[in-house]
Every structure is written in C-alpha cells, then in structure tokens.
Amino acid sequence: DPEKTVFWRKRLAEISSRPKIGINWRSMRVINKWRHFYATPDELAPVISVPGVDFVNLTHDVTDDELAEFEKLYGTKLLVWDDIDMKDNMDGFAALISSLDMVVSCLSYVTEMSGALGIPTLGFIGERKNHHMLGTGDAIWYPSTKYFAKNRDESWQPVFEGMAREIRRSLALS
C-alpha cells in the first residue's frame, strides 16, 4: 500500500536522518532443536554497536524484558510501535520494511519479506548447510539478501562481526 509506505517513511524520517536498520533475532518458535538458528540480544553486540544508525524492532512478539535488555546492554532503545501488527498485517509490515535502509534477521518470514521487497538484507543462519541456500552459500532468489552462516555449535561472534563490517561498508559508515 503506497500510502502506508509514505506513512512509514515520514515516521522514520522524523526520528533522525540516520539510516534505519530493521532487526529480528529470533522466531516465536525458539525450541531446543532450533535454538542454534536464533540469537540473543547480547550476542548481537557487533551489529547493535555499529554507530550512526537507528535500529527498528522487527521481532513481532518482542517482550518488555528483551527491550529492557537492549537498552541495558547498548544504552539505546530499539524503535518499537504498538500500532502495527507485524504478524497478521502483512501489508502494513511490508510498508514498514519497504521504508528501511536495511534489514538484519535470522532466517524467518522477515528475511523472506525484505528479500522479496528488494531491501538490502543480511540474514544469519545457524547451519552452514541449509536448504535455503541451495548449496550456493547464499540466497540465490533474492539478490538483495546476503546470508552469513555458522555451524551449529559455533559462536555467533564471527557472523555478527562480518555483518557489522557489511553494514558499515553498505551504508558508507566509518
């Protein structure tokens, strides 16, 4: 909906002139056998510490505890709005994503949506051999999406450090 996209672009511009990066670190289905696909707020430090950007929450069921943890860890608040249903209002959610400069997300409907919309997307995956990459190491059907993967038992640290470098490079940040 073009009107919703205009609404979000204006709303985001009123916050600051800094680039806006949407962030999603988990699914609502974080269960033990899939835990390695998702991150915790503290694991995202290399990404969240990139200076000169505003981070927009794209985790549809974010909790107050998670938001407080981000503020405690990083001294900044994720941008969150209560007037959008990011799970069941796909048109509104697409308008928000279309208004962002970049998206950082675990493999989820967020990476699929942002990739399909052509928004620069950095996705993280908890298994290097993943069927979404069709054996190529990347997402071949979404040219705007770049995946960063680790093996199941490896740390997210190198993945998020690489993503932070890519954010700085892509957005021409120092």
Side-chain angles (χ1 to χ4, degrees):
D1 183 335
E3 289 180 19
K4 289 179 183 177
T5 302
V6 169
F7 167 81
W8 280 109
R9 286 190 178 143
K10 182 179 179 197
R11 192 177 217 184
L12 292 168
E14 288 172 351
I15 293 166
S16 76
S17 61
R18 293 184 298 268
K20 305 299 183 279
I21 298 176
I23 189 153
N24 174 45
W25 57 94
R26 64 168 177 79
S27 163
M28 61 187 243
R29 299 208 27 132
V30 179
I31 58 177
N32 281 340
K33 73 177 183 176
W34 294 330
R35 172 67 190 97
H36 63 284
F37 280 99
Y38 308 112
T40 60
D42 62 310
E43 291 172 315
L44 290 166
V47 170
I48 301 296
S49 299
V50 171
V53 299
D54 294 319
F55 287 96
V56 176
N57 173 61
L58 297 179
T59 301
H60 78 84
D61 61 343
V62 68
T63 67
D64 290 339
D65 288 343
E66 287 171 313
L67 294 173
E69 185 175 1
F70 270 96
E71 190 169 4
K72 179 182 173 186
L73 288 169
Y74 306 113
T76 188
K77 291 184 178 185
L78 293 180
L79 300 175
V80 178
W81 291 274
D82 293 332
D83 59 345
I84 182 170
D85 181 340
M86 294 187 290
K87 181 179 179 205
D88 294 322
N89 179 357
M90 288 294 100
D91 195 41
F93 190 52
L96 170 59
I97 288 177
S98 293
S99 303
L100 298 171
D101 297 290
M102 180 177 279
V103 168
V104 171
S105 177
C106 58
L107 183 62
S108 67
Y109 75 99
V110 175
T111 50
E112 298 296 315
M113 174 80 74
S114 57
L117 291 168
I119 303 304
T121 302
L122 305 180
F124 57 92
I125 299 180
E127 291 180 357
R128 279 202 172 90
K129 291 183 179 181
N130 189 287
H131 68 277
H132 284 84
M133 296 186 284
L134 300 175
T136 67
D138 222 335
I140 61 173
W141 51 82
Y142 299 134
S144 66
T145 299
K146 180 175 182 176
Y147 281 117
F148 293 75
K150 70 175 186 75
N151 287 320
R152 179 182 291 251
D153 297 324
E154 292 176 338
S155 164
W156 282 116
Q157 185 76 20
V159 168
F160 293 136
E161 287 172 354
M163 292 175 98
R165 283 190 299 275
E166 183 64 20
I167 291 167
R168 287 185 185 93
R169 187 196 67 73
S170 294
L171 298 176
L173 301 169
S174 54

